Amino acid sequence: MYVVKSPLSDAALTTVSEALQGALVDLIDLSLVAKQVHWNVVGPRFRSVHLQLDEVVDIARTHSDTVAERASALGVSPDGRAATVAGASGITVAPEGWVKDTDAVGVLVTALGAVITRMRERVAATGEADPVSQDVFIGITGDLEKHHWMFQAESG
C-alpha cells in the first residue's frame, strides 16, 4: 500500500529505496555499536574516547532520522526494526564486555570505514535516479568521514 506517491519512476524509486533502506540500517547499527563501546570503554583515554563515541551516536541517530524521513517522503516505508538491522548491516558485531580505549578506537575506525564505503556506493547509485537523495548521502558521508578521520588520528 502506498500512502504517499513518489514523483520518481518505478526504476528510480527501486534504486533509491534500496539505498535509503541500506543507509538506515547502517546508521542505526553504527549508533548501536558506538553506544555499546561507549558504555564499555576503559583505559587512560576513557573520557576523550567516551565523549567522542557519543558524538558518533548523535550524528548517526540524526542522519538515520533524515534517511527514514526521506524514504517516507518518497512513499517508501522505512524499516528500522532490530531484526532488519541485525540481518542487513554492513558493520562487524561490536565486541562483548569491556573494551580497552585503543581497541575502542579501532572498532570505530572499522565500523565507520564500512559505513562510509557503503555510503559512497549509494552516492554513486542515486546520482541519476534522484539527486535529492544523493545530496542526503553526500552530506552523511562527509560527516562520517570527519569522525573517521578523528578516530584514525586518535590511534595515530
Side-chain angles (χ1 to χ4, degrees):
M1 172 176 91
Y2 287 99
V3 176
V4 178
K5 176 68 176 138
S6 172
L8 302 178
S9 70
D10 287 346
L13 185 58
T14 297
T15 298
V16 173
S17 65
E18 288 172 2
L20 289 166
Q21 181 59 40
L24 178 61
V25 163
D26 283 350
L27 290 164
I28 291 170
D29 200 24
L30 178 62
S31 73
L32 295 171
V33 167
K35 198 50 128 169
Q36 178 66 25
V37 175
H38 165 90
W39 292 323
N40 288 285
V41 65
V42 294
R45 295 183 308 175
F46 163 80
R47 182 155 173 77
S48 64
V49 173
H50 184 79
L51 295 173
Q52 203 172 350
L53 287 161
D54 261 345
E55 292 175 13
V56 173
V57 170
D58 290 344
I59 199 80
R61 287 179 177 168
T62 297
H63 285 314
S64 65
D65 193 51
T66 299
V67 165
E69 289 179 356
R70 178 68 186 150
S72 293
L74 294 174
V76 176
S77 176
D79 187 354
R81 297 172 299 160
T84 302
V85 172
S89 175
I91 302 174
T92 306
V93 175
E96 186 177 334
W98 302 116
V99 181
K100 190 170 188 258
D101 52 6
T102 53
D103 295 337
V105 168
V107 168
L108 264 291
V109 167
T110 300
L112 285 162
V115 175
I116 289 165
T117 296
R118 288 166 55 117
M119 277 306 165
R120 286 188 161 275
E121 291 168 359
R122 294 174 185 119
V123 168
T126 56
E128 188 175 322
D130 181 23
V132 176
S133 294
Q134 182 191 46
D135 188 54
V136 170
F137 293 132
I138 290 169
I140 293 168
T141 303
D143 283 347
L144 295 176
E145 286 178 346
K146 176 182 135 188
H147 288 283
H148 192 233
W149 154 61
M150 290 181 174
F151 274 103
Q152 289 179 81
E154 181 85 23
S155 64

